Amino acid sequence: MSSFFAVLFVVAAVVLVFGLVRKIIQYAKTPAPLKIATTPAPVTQSGVVLRLFREVVFFESLFKSTKWTWIFGWIFHLGLFLVLLRHLRYFMDPVWLPVELIQPFGIYGGMAMVVGLAGLFARRLFVDRVRYISAPSDYLWLVLLILIGLSGLMMKFVAHTDVVMVKQFFIGLYSMHIGELPPDFPLIMHLLLVVVLMLLFPFSKLLHVPGIFFSPSRNQVDNPREKRHLAPWAKAMEEQQN
Amino acid sequence: MAKANFVTPELHEFVEVPEVSEGTMAHLSPFVAYPEHNTDLNFPGELVEDWHGKTLSKLDDLRKRYRSLQVYLDSCVKCGACTDKCHYFLGTKDPKNMPVGRQDLLRKVYRRYFTLAGRFFPKLVGAKDLTRETLDEWYSYYHQCSQCRRCSVFCPYGIDTAEISMAAREILDSIGYGQKYCNEIIAKVGKIGNNLGLPGPALADTLEGLEEDVEDDTGVAVKYPLDVKGADILLVTPSADFFAEPHVDGLIGYGKVFHEAGVSWTLSSYASEAANFGMFIGSYENMRRVSLRIRKAALDLGVKRIVFGECGHAWRVAYAFLNTLAGPFDFLDPAYPVPQHIMEFTWDQIQKGKLKFDKTANDHMKLTFHDSCNVARATRMGDKPGGQIEIPRNVIKAVCNNFADMHHETIGERTFCCGGGGGLLTDDLMEIRVKGALPRMTALKNVMEEEGVTHLAAICAICKSQFTKVLPYYGMEMDQVVSVHQLVSNAIILTGQETDENDRDDEPDEVEI
């Protein structure tokens, strides 16, 4: 079983990384032929960095829009962020001090994550407008993430798993050494679901993660009168017509 | 036009977010373009036989040329933040008029043919086959979007439905399924020089009439020049300014400001249109062709500056795109931005103390200001972000004593569209225009009742025309709409002007700011 998981994780990691890199290259290479920043917009590059920072860290636009979605969405993402930081300890030896320090907060993060996701699920179910726009996959993503969160929390609060073994397994993968995984149900669940998440990430709406950094309405400097903004294809058209 | 066939929504204190009611607007589509309207713009005259293949290849082409389209099609997580933000949804309850609902019409097809998940598990991810009915649905609902970008303010990823609806319209045009209103107008600009098809002599005649009117009124010979070579400023203004009410009162105002500023200026019969409907149909090529007319006029007339009159989407094309589409404008005076908005020009003159006003001339009105969507959310005026929201208000307050803003959630970057933008200002779309005006009408009615506001000032030809038409549906008067430069025109005291009550030598009550 451990070899099965070893192969799965290597494949999932490759798919995740290459899938995302492929999309990022696609976004970066596709020209944005016109200035379409949603104004009022920053007039300097540093202003844009600040705008994206507020957007990514605080979900500024969502805050303007609807407070419930913002609260649940933000709690979930913040929780997930803390959880990811906490999990770094399974992938490094020795463990960095900041990762050491974040450990207890990671637990709260895990709980917050599940609470936020439950809120988002309820909203998807009970607000008729959101229900209308939801495809089955939209519910399934929430279920997947909730199950990942719950199975993870189970290992902390219900049935402990030998995390030292888990860590040895993942560190071992770096040197192509396949160690043993503890044969605990919550762990197997947890790992399987994470693999599914990693495999589907680059082919799903989770592309909002790289997407926001490439969103022209958010990442453009508002300076069209000062600078021409000619895309390569537009330039070619110009040369052909002139 | 008959008011029949639909019920105007009732005005309440607040705009309630309605429960979704599917298909309430499925019946509404604008008139389809005649073959010659399409072929004039280099589109196929009628729906091509291989529409299926052509649609998909155009979608593929556009997603490779527009980062916005590719990123926006991928990134939506269906969070619902935009669902209650569109005036057309609020006024019609139709879920396909929710921004995400509208985007999904195209996104479903994108997913089906261009993503792994949609190819193999279409039902799971809500992907749909492209059918003939899909095209009709696109045609209907992508012409119920005014491309006002209100949704993009609230989207956590800045997804702008305008980009999606422009792409959809460009796809439809590319397979010969164009909209009559937009395509006919763009062709008219190409042939005659403006949306309304006013030839040069008619313009000259109109302007001469304005000169006479102003001289009768003030005793001062204010000029409204046309095609004057060597003038400093080329004024490009929406052609509605030449005759429609209250637009023309704004044009009178521009002329008075230029006169008092002591600059030489001219209109151009060749570039007698600020509007650029190429944007509405998402066509870079057509938008560029219209823009190049302005460049040519500026070169031919040898002007030093370009100033735009009051028009919303025109200012978007001018401010955000003109330099890219038709630049570089290195032959103009580098001391001024290219182009400038008339509001920037007037505010600058006011700040320099060059203009004198009698604010009491506007005392019979209490004003509020409608931020035009394209101005507020897609452009800037002045040096600082938000100038496009402040400067028009500064100008109004400099010429009027009575002003009150509408509810803060309905102005500035959150402004509600008038309901007639984006190529919808046509009688065949009256139903969506009236229903889409609901949020703006509600805010106006409230500020009328609470603050005693009597008039709505606007800086967009489309907004002005739309309100003139739609206000009566909501029990208000069509002449409650005014141009901002109409207010300037009312209050400005021209050098040497005769006034009724005061002797010529009298100092005015109100002086420069």
Side-chain angles (χ1 to χ4, degrees), chain A residues 27 36 215 217-218 228 241, chain B residues 74 149 152 157-158 288 324:
Chain A
Y27 294 160
I36 59 165
S215 171
S217 58
R218 292 290 181 271
R228 288 195 79 199
Q241 287 174 5
Chain B
D74 278 338
R149 315 186 91 205
S152 85
Y157 320 112
R288 178 160 184 270
T324 299

Side-chain angles (χ1 to χ4, degrees), chain B residues 26 29 53 72 107 132 152-153 157 204 325 394 402 459 490 505:
Chain B
S29 290
Y72 295 163
R107 188 177 285 118
R132 184 64 187 75
S152 85
V153 171
Y157 320 112
L325 293 168
N394 291 345
N402 312 316
I459 50 169
N490 288 347
D505 312 329

Side-chain angles (χ1 to χ4, degrees), chain A residues 23 27 30-31 35-36 38-39 64-65 124 128-129 137 205 215 217-218 222 224-225 228 233 238 241, chain B residues 20 67 72 74 77-78 81 83 124 149 152 157-158 288 319 323-324 339 344 376-378 380 413:
Chain A
K23 285 309 277 191
Y27 294 160
T30 310
K35 284 277 186 178
I36 59 165
T38 310
T39 62
K64 282 182 201 168
S65 172
R124 200 168 281 292
D128 68 336
R129 301 187 307 280
S137 59
K205 67 175 186 177
S215 171
S217 58
R218 292 290 181 271
D222 180 25
R225 285 196 287 195
R228 288 195 79 199
W233 63 260
E238 214 165 80
Q241 287 174 5
Chain B
V20 302
R67 181 186 295 163
Y72 295 163
D74 278 338
V77 300
K78 314 296 168 79
T83 54
L124 187 69
R149 315 186 91 205
S152 85
Y157 320 112
R288 178 160 184 270
Y319 170 82
N323 190 19
T324 299
E344 293 179 305
R377 286 188 284 263
R380 177 159 51 95
E413 69 168 355

Side-chain angles (χ1 to χ4, degrees), chain A residues 34-38 216-217 220, chain B residues 68 72 149 160 163 316 321:
Chain A
L34 293 166
K35 284 277 186 178
I36 59 165
T38 310
S217 58
Q220 287 186 336
Chain B
S68 54
Y72 295 163
R149 315 186 91 205
D160 179 5
E163 291 293 306
R316 181 178 190 189
F321 306 156

Side-chain angles (χ1 to χ4, degrees), chain A residues 11-23:
Chain A
V11 171
V14 169
V15 169
L16 176 69
V17 170
F18 279 93
L20 274 181
V21 166
R22 195 191 62 129
K23 285 309 277 191

